[in-house]
């Protein structure tokens, strides 16, 4: 998780011009870091590329809109990194 | 190209579904009200329309790869370079390549050439979502037919469809196998 977090945090810092020290595992990408949907597309592209995965953004958005999940489950960075680790594990399985 | 209607693509020259690339021909018209203001005595295709030409080629490639089940909207343009003046009567050949097919978006690269010389290039992000209006899908399917987009052929045949594609000189291409199907779909 820690190396996943470092990679994700560096991507966010570079993509959104946010100081790296402001990005913690507890940060909510939207509520705390102020990342909007367009910037999140760039972040998703960089994450997809870095880890060789495809973040299921549409599925997550649908789940949040349907009340089946909260934004915290996907957009608090420690949770986002856990999802990424799951996708990496599923890819190598 | 009909600038006032934002109809940029005249013809699909090549489509490679496996390689996720497409080439289009885009003929800048000799006359348009746009050239009256841009610029008097020195008509140039506006740079923003070069971006639009690249975006439309990328968008049509993405739609084709997704079998026209979703609409693509331009979200961002990066690394855009407009390298030289483009004037009335010139044909821009755009090569669009899908770099990454993400969830709800696609990242594409576009290069525009005139007689082999690079005139513009960019990386574009297109958001994809369900068609917001059924007539929009019909319009895009009829556009695909107009620009001779290979539709129904299997990937291998589609990839070969560009070989010997005619130039924009009125030569008659082979009718895309899917024209009849397109005609039906365009009225969905």
């Amino acid at each position: 998780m820690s190396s996943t977090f470092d990679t994700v945090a560096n991507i966010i810092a570079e993509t959104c011009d946010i100081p790296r020290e402001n990005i913690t595992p507890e940060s909510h990408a939207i509520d705390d870091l102020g990342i909007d949907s367009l910037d999140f597309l760039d972040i998703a592209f960089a994450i997809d590329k870095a880890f060789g995965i495809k973040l299921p953004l549409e599925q997550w958005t649908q789940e949040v809109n349907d009340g089946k999940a909260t934004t915290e489950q996907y957009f608090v960075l420690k949770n986002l990194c856990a999802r990424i680790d799951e996708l990496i594990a599923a890819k190598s399985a | 190209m009909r600038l006032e209607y934002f109809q940029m693509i005249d013809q699909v020259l090549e489509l490679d579904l496996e390689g996720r690339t497409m080439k289009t021909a885009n003929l800048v018209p000799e006359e348009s009200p746009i050239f009256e203001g841009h610029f008097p005595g020195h008509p140039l295709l506006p740079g923003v329309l070069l971006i639009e030409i690249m975006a439309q080629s990328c968008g049509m490639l993405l739609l084709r790869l997704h079998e026209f089940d979703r609409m693509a909207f331009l979200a961002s343009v990066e690394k855009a370079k407009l390298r030289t003046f483009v004037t009335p009567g010139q044909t821009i050949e755009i090569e669009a390549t899908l770099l990454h097919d993400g969830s709800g978006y696609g990242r594409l690269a576009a290069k525009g050439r005139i007689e082999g010389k690079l005139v513009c290039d960019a990386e574009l992000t297109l958001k994809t979502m369900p068609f917001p209006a059924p007539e929009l899908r019909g319009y895009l399917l009829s556009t695909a037919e107009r620009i001779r987009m290979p539709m129904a052929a299997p990937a291998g045949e589609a990839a070969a469809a560009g070989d010997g594609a005619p130039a924009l000189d009125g030569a008659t291409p082979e009718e895309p196998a899917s024209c009849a199907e397109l005609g039906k779909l365009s009225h969905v």
Side-chain angles (χ1 to χ4, degrees):
Chain A
M1 204 297 255
S2 61
S3 74
T4 302
F5 173 75
D6 286 337
T7 303
V8 170
N10 289 336
I11 286 171
I12 291 173
E14 190 174 327
T15 305
C16 302
D17 203 17
I18 295 171
R20 173 66 181 79
E21 59 270 22
N22 292 0
I23 304 169
T24 73
E26 305 298 328
S27 301
H28 190 300
I30 302 164
D31 298 343
D32 297 329
L33 302 178
I35 297 169
D36 67 15
S37 60
L38 182 57
D39 279 338
F40 205 84
L41 280 190
D42 286 337
I43 292 167
F45 173 61
I47 289 174
D48 284 0
K49 212 167 51 165
F51 296 104
I53 58 174
K54 182 170 172 175
L55 288 182
L57 292 181
E58 289 189 294
Q59 178 194 326
W60 292 354
T61 304
Q62 193 64 50
E63 287 176 13
V64 169
N65 289 341
D66 292 346
K68 294 176 181 168
T70 63
T71 59
E72 285 76 13
Q73 285 175 253
Y74 298 125
F75 296 107
V76 169
L77 296 191
K78 65 179 181 186
N79 298 335
L80 174 65
C81 291
R83 301 286 93 74
I84 291 170
D85 287 338
E86 288 169 7
L87 290 165
I88 295 168
K91 187 183 67 166
S92 15
Chain B
M1 191 183 296
R2 296 173 74 201
L3 292 175
E4 297 75 29
Y5 292 88
F6 266 52
Q7 290 181 356
M8 301 305 187
I9 304 172
D10 290 296
Q11 186 180 331
V12 174
L13 300 174
E14 293 179 27
L15 172 67
D16 179 351
L17 294 175
E18 286 185 20
R20 307 197 299 185
T21 65
M22 186 172 82
K23 285 185 182 173
T24 63
N26 308 263
L27 172 62
V28 183
E30 291 285 354
E31 293 186 7
S32 165
I34 286 173
F35 299 133
E36 294 171 18
H38 195 282
F39 296 101
H42 187 59
L44 295 177
L45 186 71
V48 290
L49 294 183
L50 272 175
I51 303 282
E52 177 65 21
I53 292 168
M54 290 191 281
Q56 288 196 13
S57 289
C58 288
M60 288 304 284
L61 171 61
L62 197 54
L63 261 65
R64 176 63 183 86
L65 289 168
H66 286 267
E67 303 289 354
F68 288 81
D69 69 340
R70 301 165 72 76
M71 180 58 186
F73 294 96
L74 181 62
S76 73
V77 181
E78 292 188 32
K79 304 176 188 172
K81 292 191 176 171
L82 313 176
R83 297 174 183 275
T84 190
F85 292 158
V86 176
T87 55
Q90 293 188 302
T91 297
I92 309 162
E93 187 176 306
I94 299 288
E95 180 179 10
T97 304
L98 179 61
L99 302 175
H100 180 66
D101 194 13
S103 171
Y105 72 97
R107 178 82 164 209
L108 299 102
K111 293 181 188 298
R113 293 184 175 83
I114 294 177
E115 295 175 349
K117 183 187 171 193
L118 191 65
V119 297
C120 59
D121 51 292
E123 284 191 14
L124 303 98
T125 301
L126 304 182
K127 285 180 76 167
T128 61
M129 58 184 67
F131 279 101
E135 59 266 38
L136 178 54
R137 181 168 186 267
Y139 173 76
L140 285 162
L141 284 167
S142 64
T143 297
E145 186 174 19
R146 176 178 61 78
I147 65 176
R148 301 170 188 166
M149 170 82 81
M151 290 293 283
E157 291 176 34
D163 296 343
L168 293 174
D169 57 3
T172 305
E174 286 189 14
E175 198 70 359
S178 59
C179 271
E181 183 186 351
L182 277 171
K184 288 179 201 162
L185 288 172
S186 65
H187 294 96
V188 169

